[in-house]
Amino acid sequence: DSFNTVWAGTLGKGLNQLTPSTGRVTHFLHEADNPNSLADDNIAAIISDEKGGLWVGTFGGVSHYEPNTGSFTNYSHDPENPASLSDNKVVSLHIDSNNLLWIGTWGGGLNLLDLNDPHHIDPRTATIIQYRHNADDASSLSEDSIWSIHESTDGMLWFGTQLGLNRFDPETEKF
């Protein structure tokens, strides 16, 4: 990350932070009684943002680590809130050139969180846009498991699913 820290996620043992200059390793785990802890101990994706924060894709949603406070803010699926994550099994993350966080899930489709929106810092007020496969719409995702995300130099976004590669045009918002 921007602080020359090495992050390693595990399946079932949380998140590890190595500070190479000191050799110190810090372990972060989900604590059921602490809402500011990691969302889940199964980590599938990690990406740093331009402000020095860390976004962590877990099987319990997305956790945002704030290095100044050492705490996590968690975004998860809320069946009562259509502007929440579509699913908690987050397996891919990407921040594009417009500072938009793309969140791929295992079976729950694709989600978009605008990191430029001041409301994004609070999961209760954040607006997450969901993209799902729709069999009646040829310009929707081909499938709802998003394993990889990439932005090409022409600004197109590419999503790897279980059924192949999907290209997304941000201008038309079509796949």
Side-chain angles (χ1 to χ4, degrees):
D1 69 6
S2 60
F3 298 105
N4 198 29
T5 301
V6 177
W7 294 93
T10 69
L11 286 176
K13 300 290 184 180
L15 180 67
N16 300 303
Q17 175 189 34
L18 168 66
T19 306
S21 61
T22 64
R24 180 178 176 196
V25 176
T26 305
H27 304 282
F28 297 96
L29 296 169
H30 171 70
E31 301 167 27
D33 58 344
N34 180 359
N36 295 317
S37 72
L38 192 62
D40 187 82
D41 291 332
N42 293 291
I43 312 299
I46 303 170
I47 191 168
S48 58
D49 63 28
E50 64 183 20
K51 294 184 178 179
L54 193 73
W55 294 90
V56 183
T58 78
F59 287 4
V62 175
S63 293
H64 180 256
Y65 177 70
E66 175 52 56
N68 296 326
T69 64
S71 66
F72 292 88
T73 301
N74 297 308
Y75 301 73
S76 60
H77 173 66
D78 176 357
E80 303 297 316
N81 180 2
S84 71
L85 277 180
S86 61
D87 191 87
N88 284 336
K89 286 189 178 170
V90 175
V91 294
S92 58
L93 297 169
H94 177 77
I95 299 173
D96 72 15
S97 58
N98 293 311
N99 205 32
L100 303 175
L101 176 63
W102 294 90
I103 304 163
T105 68
W106 184 359
L110 180 66
N111 299 266
L112 174 62
L113 178 61
D114 185 347
L115 300 182
N116 303 302
D117 181 350
H119 297 289
H120 88 272
I121 61 172
D122 184 347
R124 295 168 299 180
T125 60
T127 299
I128 296 175
I129 299 169
Q130 301 177 8
Y131 297 91
R132 302 292 300 259
H133 168 69
N134 179 345
D136 297 325
D137 182 358
S139 64
S140 72
L141 280 169
S142 65
E143 198 269 331
D144 281 334
S145 291
I146 313 300
W147 298 103
S148 60
I149 306 171
H150 176 76
E151 181 179 11
S152 55
T153 55
D154 61 0
M156 296 294 160
L157 289 152
W158 297 84
F159 302 97
T161 74
Q162 288 182 185
L163 294 180
L165 192 60
N166 291 237
R167 183 184 71 141
F168 180 77
D169 184 338
E171 295 296 319
T172 64
E173 295 192 4
K174 301 282 184 195
F175 290 89

